[in-house]
Amino acid sequence: MPVETSTPESAARLLTEEPQGLGLRGGVHERLKEITCLYEIRCGMGLELSVESACQHIFEYLIPAMQFPEIATAVIELDGRRFTSESHGQGLTHELQSKINAGGKPCGQLRVFYPEDKPFLVPEEQRLIDAVARDLEIWLERKQIDEALHERLKEITCLYEIRRGMGLELSVESACQHIFEYLIPAMQFPEIATAVIELDGRRFTSESHGQGLTHELQSKINAGGKPCGQLRVFYPEDKPFLVPEEQRLIDAVATDLEKWLERKRLEQALVFIAEEQQRLIGQELHDNLGQQIAAIGYQAKALEKKVAASGSAEAVAVAASIATQAQVAVMQCKQIAQGLLPFELETSGLTAALQVFASKIEATYRIVCKFVCRNEVTVRNSDSALNLYRIAQEAVNNAIRHGGANHLVISLLADLGMLRLSICDNGKGFAGIETKDGMTPGMGIKIMQHRARQLGATLAFLKRPGGGVEVRLEMRTDDRPVPAHARPVEPPLPG
């Protein structure tokens, strides 16, 4: 709503109006005081002022514009709050007043007092008080709009930053902390607000501001169509919420977290399906196709002997060739099945499985692939061991097929509460890691990243100074601190 401003034309118009109850000279003087008062009040009533500062600003110019400024007292009452100019003693019952409305509703009044023996200039001073009250109404409405817009901007900024940073690479704990980072500053009283996210029996909390935070807003969180937790924000009881503004923000953040959880679970389901598919194909190759090819080999061998008895050398050669190719096919089926179903992982553990895997890579591709384990490493959780094995497998296959590597080192180390898996190669880089436009991971790398997130590990793709790539995974195995000297040393490639 526009604020009325004083101009030379409006001043001239006011001066030409006939003042009542005064001589011409006195009337002009009083009108000039009114105009000056309104002009200064309107010029200084910026939206950056607090309500208290705005009232003191009004007193600064209203009191001097009164007939007896040295004994006048002004009071502004707004929504239960009272602001007073310098008081000039008791018994100030001779007064003028003007009601104040904001948003179409009464919210207070402006009152000016004199001692009883000093009469007001009525209607001159009443007109001035009414004008000041009107200016305060306009300022209050604009202030309310400005504060509402500011709150809305805080909401939009909060949601934008949360959505921008909620990538699937985050763990659940990191995602919750990311939400707290932007949700708390968007609250009305961020310095005392506490947020809590409860998910599937786990509890994540922002910085706590003491006990007794029972005045709260909350929003339920669902995933897969089922309740899985809630987002709660607390204030001390003496700090009310901006309802429904803050409730709307909390609901929106809870909805964003629901969508993130849905995507996260979908990603997990895709990896699980891929793993199951590998198991099924491996089993099929080992139990069915491999056995059928082996049977063809046996039949070809029997045919070779039978044909040899008849004396046909050409037919013997054909039968022998079929038997040999069948043998090779059976071996290839076994190798593929063992890659899809790491039997050593289930029977002997991660270290043995990686050692066998490195040996098979050397034999299959006729390149150098070494496995280095500097100490005893035991991973008791079968899912964790499988994820580590699959990451190593994908890294090696990617280095060979896309990077053209012929020297690789797989190293495994567990020390001081930290497990490290490193795959170094001398190739030309991974497909789908680096482009001129930045990081563009392919499906294999995305699955590696997801497996690392399931482990709560960090996964990095690093250029080696001498050429090639290192895939480095680090994960905590307990809560002990890791000293700086225990950081991983880049393993050398075999000469």
Side-chain angles (χ1 to χ4, degrees):
M1 182 181 297
V3 176
E4 180 185 351
T5 58
S6 294
T7 65
E9 292 77 7
S10 63
R13 185 176 65 254
L14 287 169
L15 286 171
T16 58
E17 294 178 359
E18 181 65 28
Q20 299 178 11
L22 290 172
L24 180 58
R25 180 177 298 178
V28 170
H29 178 70
E30 291 302 321
R31 294 306 281 152
L32 182 59
K33 285 205 303 181
E34 289 181 29
I35 293 166
T36 303
C37 168
L38 291 174
Y39 175 78
E40 294 296 344
I41 287 175
R42 291 168 183 174
C43 284
M45 288 282 281
L47 295 177
E48 74 282 356
L49 297 179
S50 65
V51 173
E52 181 176 3
S53 298
C55 292
Q56 293 303 324
H57 173 74
I58 288 173
F59 298 150
E60 180 182 353
Y61 294 101
L62 176 60
I63 295 297
M66 305 308 295
Q67 186 181 13
F68 301 102
E70 67 279 2
I71 59 171
T73 298
V75 175
I76 296 176
E77 297 165 350
L78 286 174
D79 296 323
R81 301 175 68 188
R82 181 184 174 92
F83 308 97
T84 308
S85 69
E86 183 182 357
S87 178
H88 294 281
Q90 303 300 317
L92 304 180
T93 57
H94 188 192
E95 72 173 88
L96 292 178
Q97 62 177 264
S98 186
K99 300 297 183 184
I100 300 171
N101 299 299
K105 297 179 180 179
C107 65
Q109 58 184 336
L110 167 60
R111 304 161 68 195
V112 178
F113 300 85
Y114 279 153
E116 291 186 16
D117 60 345
K118 294 291 185 182
F120 282 90
L121 288 172
V122 183
E124 288 82 0
E125 289 182 315
Q126 182 66 60
R127 183 175 62 228
L128 176 59
I129 293 169
D130 289 341
V132 172
R134 223 169 23 246
D135 285 348
L136 183 55
E137 287 178 352
I138 294 170
W139 181 85
L140 286 170
E141 290 180 355
R142 293 178 60 205
K143 185 76 171 174
Q144 289 172 356
I145 293 171
D146 182 71
E147 290 177 348
L149 289 174
H150 180 66
E151 290 299 321
R152 194 74 183 118
L153 179 60
K154 285 204 303 183
E155 289 179 28
I156 293 169
T157 302
C158 168
L159 291 175
Y160 171 78
E161 293 295 344
I162 286 175
R163 290 167 183 173
R164 189 168 68 96
M166 287 282 281
L168 291 177
E169 71 281 356
L170 297 179
S171 65
V172 173
E173 181 176 2
S174 298
C176 292
Q177 293 303 322
H178 174 75
I179 286 173
F180 298 148
E181 180 182 354
Y182 294 101
L183 177 59
I184 294 297
M187 305 309 292
Q188 186 183 12
F189 300 102
E191 67 280 359
I192 57 171
T194 298
V196 175
I197 295 176
E198 297 165 352
L199 286 175
D200 296 324
R202 301 176 67 188
R203 181 183 174 94
F204 309 94
T205 308
S206 68
E207 182 183 0
S208 179
H209 294 280
Q211 303 299 316
L213 304 181
T214 57
H215 186 194
E216 72 172 274
L217 293 178
Q218 61 177 266
S219 187
K220 301 296 183 184
I221 299 171
N222 299 298
K226 297 179 180 178
C228 65
Q230 59 184 335
L231 166 60
R232 304 160 67 195
V233 177
F234 300 85
Y235 279 153
E237 291 187 17
D238 59 345
K239 293 292 186 182
F241 284 90
L242 285 173
V243 182
E245 291 82 356
E246 289 184 317
Q247 182 65 61
R248 183 174 61 233
L249 176 60
I250 292 168
D251 289 342
V253 172
T255 300
D256 286 348
L257 183 54
E258 286 178 353
K259 292 177 181 177
W260 182 84
L261 287 169
E262 291 282 1
R263 295 197 304 271
K264 193 85 170 173
R265 293 183 179 188
L266 178 60
E267 183 190 55
Q268 292 172 349
L270 289 173
V271 173
F272 175 78
I273 291 169
E275 187 65 46
E276 284 300 301
Q277 198 66 26
Q278 281 186 307
R279 287 180 179 276
L280 289 173
I281 294 172
Q283 233 169 359
E284 186 69 22
L285 286 172
H286 185 271
D287 297 341
N288 294 325
L289 185 59
Q291 298 298 327
Q292 291 177 12
I293 295 174
I296 292 172
Y298 295 144
Q299 291 175 356
K301 201 69 178 173
L303 179 62
E304 178 187 356
K305 292 178 180 179
K306 188 175 289 188
V307 172
S310 65
S312 174
E314 186 177 345
V316 168
V318 171
S321 175
I322 293 172
T324 302
Q325 290 180 52
Q327 263 187 333
V328 171
V330 168
M331 290 300 298
Q332 290 177 341
C333 276
K334 285 184 178 180
Q335 288 177 353
I336 295 172
Q338 287 169 352
L340 295 171
L341 290 171
F343 301 109
E344 294 83 6
L345 188 63
E346 296 179 2
T347 56
S348 305
L350 179 63
T351 302
L354 289 176
Q355 179 64 69
V356 171
F357 173 65
S359 300
K360 288 178 180 176
I361 289 295
E362 280 194 329
T364 302
Y365 294 99
R366 300 186 182 278
I367 60 174
V368 177
C369 183
K370 299 298 182 185
F371 173 67
V372 177
C373 187
R374 299 175 184 174
N375 54 7
E376 184 65 28
V377 178
T378 302
V379 180
R380 303 190 185 281
N381 185 285
S382 59
D383 290 335
S384 298
L386 179 59
N387 280 325
L388 290 166
Y389 181 86
R390 293 299 190 202
I391 288 170
Q393 188 180 45
E394 181 64 32
V396 168
N397 289 333
N398 207 331
I400 295 170
R401 295 171 185 171
H402 302 295
N406 56 20
H407 283 155
L408 296 104
V409 173
I410 305 170
S411 63
L412 187 64
L413 170 68
D415 188 27
L416 297 171
M418 180 70 74
L419 183 144
R420 303 182 186 92
L421 173 66
S422 172
I423 301 93
C424 294
D425 67 69
N426 67 342
K428 59 186 179 183
F430 276 21
I433 289 188
E434 289 187 340
T435 67
K436 64 180 181 180
D437 298 321
M439 184 72 76
T440 309
M443 183 56 69
I445 292 172
K446 286 181 179 178
I447 291 177
M448 291 171 68
Q449 291 170 333
H450 170 73
R451 291 186 184 279
R453 289 194 293 270
Q454 283 190 314
L455 293 166
T458 61
L459 183 68
F461 301 87
L462 309 172
K463 285 186 176 180
R464 292 172 56 85
V469 172
E470 177 189 0
V471 177
R472 181 185 297 173
L473 179 141
E474 297 182 353
M475 62 178 282
R476 304 284 296 146
T477 56
D478 63 24
D479 295 328
R480 287 180 294 172
V482 181
H485 69 267
R487 301 298 294 171
V489 178
E490 184 178 284
L493 289 172

